[in-house]
Amino acid sequence: MTTAALPLHPPVPPPPPASVAGARTGRPGWERPALAVLLLATAVLLLWDLGASGYANSFYSAAVQAGSESWKAFFFGSSDAGNSITVDKPPAALWPMMLSVRLFGLGAWQILVPQALMGVATTAVLYASVRRHFGPAAALISGAVFALTPVAALMFRFNNPDALLTLLMTVTVYCVLRALDGARTKWLLWAGVAVGFAFLTKTLQAFVILPPLALLYAVCAPTRLRRRLGQLLLSGLAMVVSAGWWVAIVELWPAASRPYIGGSQTNSFLELTLGYNGLGRINGEETGSVGGGGRAAVEGMGAGGPGGGGGGGMSWGETGIDRLFSSNIGGQIAWLLPAALILLVAGLVVTWRARRATDSLEGTARAAFLAWGGSLLITGLVFSYMQGIFHEYYTVALAPYVAALVGMGIAVLWEERGNRAASFTLAGTLALTAYWAFVLLGRAAEYVPWLRWLVLAVGLGTAVLLPFAARLGRRAALGVAAVGLGAALAGPLAYCLTTVTTAHAGSIVTAGPAVAGGRGGPGGGMRGFEMPGGAGMPGGGGAPQGMPQGGGAPGGQAPGGQAPGGQAPGGQAQAGQAPGAGQRADGGRTGRPGGTGGGMGGGMGGLLGGTRTSAEATAALRRDADRYTWAAAAIGSQNAASYQLASQEPVMAIGGFNGSDPSPTLEQFKEYVKAGKIHYFIGQSSTGAGGAGGADQETGTAARGGGGPGGGTSSAIESWVKATFTQSTIGGATFYDLTAPAAQASTTS
């Protein structure tokens, strides 16, 4: 294995070995084929049966559909082409998907392929960064570890913003390390640009890794202090420009002629950034969030709420240093997290001789450990102690940091394997990793039960041999190392294969099988969750053993084949046709007992999962749709998104994602109705077949008006509609024709 030779205790600093020179200037003959295999395998893993998840998170897919129809919706990230309200994030993550749909049409593949390609790109950037100072073998290990991280296999096949955010964060660390190698301003500016676009992807999460990276450059860059500080200021300016242009336009644009800023209570992107998507995620005071937004309101959801926790993290799980190792998170990201932390310390010990990070070969290696390690530690601590909304899939941001540290640490200790301390550290790390994999695999009842014992036996056996690897000869030593690495990656590989062969849909998804004490299996449904007032959540919990979350049961046709009702391959509805009655509007598979197919199903009034639509309801929305700005209005973005994706006509999301945003006001809604801009209002359904996921119409849920100052707006609009217009049933859904007052409206359809 060729990598930098970094002796632990040399009597005098040795000259750089030939392997390091090769890492910088030459390539061994096997490197290019190996890299091609890595990238191809990553692409196959991420693209395999990609259309099975349909429109995945219909909240974002509806915005993608809107942006493919309207450039104004494209710019703002609107939920509908009528531009009533935006999603609750900036739109950068939507832009690649919108462009793909504009070029190739609306469908599951068209939406999700850009996400998969981002995963391949992240692997390539990670490879390039690690290879630069540690050689191709270390880079290949890092790339493989990243690609086989279960949460990465999930999120780069899904349409949440985290895929682009992870790519941009990896690019940021790469650019900072390039800037450190010679104090080059150009690369530091590119790092600032990457952070700026990461801000336009997921706001303040982009800034989490800035403190350790900025401190690293300020202290260690090989130039005078004044120049270092000046370069950091220029990088900050590049960051402000690359993010601020969009923010400035949105804030200066007249509010009356742009969509409402979803997730905010004052129609302000700055409020959204600093509140709901900012400090609220840290302290739990998220006005407008699930269950009421305030601490008391969310705590009132009880231990059965999202996360199943309680404790310091309220309903989003217990906070604390062990959060990332917990039952519902460990299998997502933590397989090699203990190894990464050990190898970080070992790498810093080995490379600590250099006076400044780039004064020598050892110094550049140390800078890499500090950059990746600092990013891992600060992000991990934020995730561990944040008291606001926290989902398991957020941990994908840790995947490149863990992967880089594992590859670099193995390379450094392998070169030092003749030293007793290095060899025993490497062996101990492997033994701990095998045991931890044994524990994680044991959390999934009945999941490949023989695998955990095989991983434990092979891992511990190889760990015993590793201290003697230096005496075995090169070929035998490499064979032992390869077997040990295979044992360490066997568990994550199994989880990844389960993930990519399972459909995922809804707002909360998890990788791998169902685990004891977790939120559920593939698809990430929540178990036993009840809203205040006792409104149960259809579709909660993991799929039954052997059945994919959200699909696979008889009667539920997967996208990719001709489905009942005219569903086109790839989850795309053909022109003039709608998904059949057994099909979800988000293009995913149906037929799972008790739910609508994925994520949270239609629970919480359709708050966290798309609802099923009937052919009759879809046909009604399409009828004379060109005469209206919005074919319909529905409370909550997921409800509206389901009908919008089925009909491909604009559907207004009253109250935004949670139904708690004061948009539109009752007066505005009345004006829209008076002007003939909205055809239907879609109410709650008692059956769950075509309405808001079967939520209780009387008790109310967060999607019907709770969750912050604006929550009453949704309830007021619904009450006015019920008092003014006559209810009718279309394909199992409750419709109100807003063009016909109660005296004129028909009671059936």
Side-chain angles (χ1 to χ4, degrees):
M1 186 176 293
T2 59
T3 184
L6 302 174
L8 284 169
H9 304 291
V12 293
S19 61
V20 174
R24 288 181 176 273
T25 61
R27 294 180 181 270
W30 54 264
E31 181 183 357
R32 291 185 186 275
L35 175 59
V37 169
L38 171 66
L39 297 181
L40 179 61
T42 302
V44 170
L45 182 71
L46 297 179
L47 292 170
W48 184 267
D49 198 19
L50 188 61
S53 293
Y55 291 133
N57 190 341
S58 56
F59 175 59
Y60 292 117
S61 289
V64 170
Q65 184 273 335
S68 70
E69 299 288 337
S70 163
W71 284 111
K72 186 175 182 180
F74 180 99
F75 178 80
F76 286 106
S78 301
S79 291
D80 61 87
N83 290 288
S84 63
I85 193 169
T86 70
V87 298
D88 58 4
K89 301 289 187 298
L94 300 174
W95 289 338
M97 294 182 280
M98 289 173 173
L99 290 174
S100 176
V101 171
R102 278 185 173 270
L103 290 172
F104 304 110
L106 179 65
W109 275 81
Q110 293 91 316
I111 292 174
L112 297 178
V113 163
Q115 305 291 92
L117 295 180
M118 289 177 196
V120 178
T122 305
T123 304
V125 173
L126 183 64
Y127 179 95
S129 181
V130 173
R131 186 208 180 278
R132 185 168 180 81
H133 299 298
F134 296 88
L140 286 171
I141 293 173
S142 294
V145 169
F146 172 77
L148 295 181
T149 302
V151 71
L154 171 69
M155 294 315 295
F156 285 102
R157 294 167 50 87
F158 208 68
N159 58 335
N160 280 19
D162 301 78
L164 180 59
L165 178 73
T166 303
L167 170 60
L168 291 171
M169 293 293 91
T170 306
V171 170
T172 299
V173 178
Y174 170 76
C175 290
V176 169
L177 290 174
R178 291 297 301 267
L180 277 167
D181 193 0
R184 289 182 283 182
T185 304
K186 175 183 72 174
W187 286 105
L188 207 58
L189 293 177
W190 281 119
V193 171
V195 173
F197 276 94
F199 176 84
L200 293 182
T201 300
K202 211 174 178 186
T203 59
L204 295 186
Q205 188 176 338
F207 296 164
V208 170
I209 66 173
L210 290 187
L213 294 181
L215 181 62
L216 174 65
Y217 194 88
V219 173
C220 299
T223 187
R224 61 186 186 277
L225 178 61
R226 179 178 298 180
R227 183 165 183 260
R228 280 178 259 157
L229 297 179
Q231 289 174 316
L232 287 172
L233 289 175
L234 287 176
S235 180
L237 179 61
M239 177 187 70
V240 170
V241 171
S242 60
W245 66 274
W246 186 86
V247 177
I249 292 174
V250 171
E251 289 297 303
L252 295 174
W253 197 296
S257 66
R258 63 160 170 78
Y260 186 93
I261 303 302
S264 73
Q265 296 296 308
T266 61
N267 198 14
S268 168
F269 179 76
L270 294 180
E271 183 233 311
L272 172 68
T273 300
L274 298 176
Y276 179 75
N277 280 337
L279 296 178
R281 298 294 173 114
I282 302 299
N283 60 25
E285 299 292 340
E286 297 164 294
T287 300
S289 70
V290 176
R295 178 182 299 269
V298 179
E299 285 179 338
M301 296 169 71
M314 298 180 292
S315 58
W316 299 104
E318 294 185 8
T319 61
I321 197 66
D322 61 341
R323 188 184 207 178
L324 299 180
F325 302 92
S326 63
S327 59
N328 58 320
I329 299 177
Q332 309 297 302
I333 186 64
W335 298 88
L336 292 170
L337 183 54
L341 296 173
I342 294 172
L343 294 172
L344 169 61
V345 174
L348 290 176
V349 170
V350 171
T351 60
W352 197 253
R353 293 186 307 277
R355 181 172 57 87
R356 181 173 287 168
T358 53
D359 281 351
S360 67
L361 175 65
E362 293 89 341
T364 57
R366 187 184 72 179
F369 277 107
L370 290 172
W372 294 108
S375 299
L376 172 64
L377 291 175
I378 194 167
T379 307
L381 287 173
V382 169
F383 286 167
S384 296
Y385 288 98
M386 61 186 287
Q387 298 183 39
I389 295 174
F390 178 78
H391 300 311
E392 293 92 332
Y393 64 78
Y394 290 179
T395 58
V396 69
L398 300 171
Y401 314 146
V402 170
L405 290 171
V406 169
M408 296 186 307
I410 289 176
V412 168
L413 293 182
W414 182 257
E415 287 293 335
E416 292 292 331
R417 62 189 181 278
N419 179 281
R420 184 183 299 271
S423 63
F424 276 98
T425 299
L426 195 59
T429 302
L430 176 57
L432 177 61
T433 300
Y435 173 74
W436 180 233
F438 177 82
V439 172
L440 290 176
L441 289 168
R443 291 176 177 176
E446 306 301 326
Y447 179 72
V448 198
W450 55 266
L451 181 60
R452 62 195 299 250
W453 295 102
L454 179 64
V455 167
L456 182 65
V458 174
L460 293 181
T462 307
V464 171
L465 293 177
L466 273 179
F468 308 100
R471 307 175 186 176
L472 299 177
R474 180 174 178 79
R475 288 184 179 274
L478 288 176
V480 171
V483 172
L485 183 62
L489 294 178
L493 172 61
Y495 263 55
C496 284
L497 294 178
T498 297
T499 301
V500 302
T501 55
T502 301
H504 294 82
S507 296
I508 302 179
V509 290
T510 55
V515 297
R519 293 186 180 178
M526 295 185 186
R527 294 179 175 178
F529 179 60
E530 291 188 357
M531 288 298 298
M537 295 188 58
Q545 189 70 23
M547 182 186 295
Q549 179 90 355
Q557 181 71 22
Q562 188 68 18
Q567 184 74 2
Q572 182 178 356
Q574 296 175 347
Q577 296 178 311
Q583 189 130 2
R584 281 209 327 274
D586 59 11
R589 297 169 177 168
T590 62
R592 183 165 60 87
T596 58
M600 302 269 298
M604 300 172 72
L607 175 61
L608 295 181
T611 62
R612 288 177 291 178
T613 62
S614 66
E616 295 86 352
T618 302
L621 294 178
R622 289 175 173 168
R623 190 178 304 122
D624 299 324
D626 292 342
R627 297 172 53 188
Y628 307 95
T629 303
W630 295 279
I635 295 177
S637 293
Q638 291 284 18
N639 292 331
S642 296
Y643 289 99
Q644 179 171 306
L645 290 168
S647 65
Q648 299 188 30
E649 301 292 345
V651 177
M652 176 187 291
I654 298 174
F657 183 82
N658 295 316
S660 60
D661 299 342
S663 170
T665 64
L666 176 59
E667 291 72 21
Q668 288 173 327
F669 189 81
K670 289 180 178 180
E671 287 297 320
Y672 291 145
V673 173
K674 182 179 180 180
K677 293 185 176 182
I678 311 174
H679 193 179
Y680 294 107
F681 177 89
I682 305 174
Q684 303 290 337
S685 169
S686 60
T687 65
D696 189 340
Q697 296 186 66
E698 301 302 326
T699 59
T701 68
R704 296 192 57 196
T713 301
S714 300
S715 295
I717 290 174
E718 185 176 36
S719 297
W720 176 76
V721 169
K722 287 182 175 181
T724 310
F725 302 92
T726 300
Q727 172 182 319
S728 62
T729 301
I730 303 178
T734 302
F735 273 58
Y736 297 85
D737 187 343
L738 302 183
T739 66
Q744 305 174 25
S746 171
T747 59
T748 60
S749 176

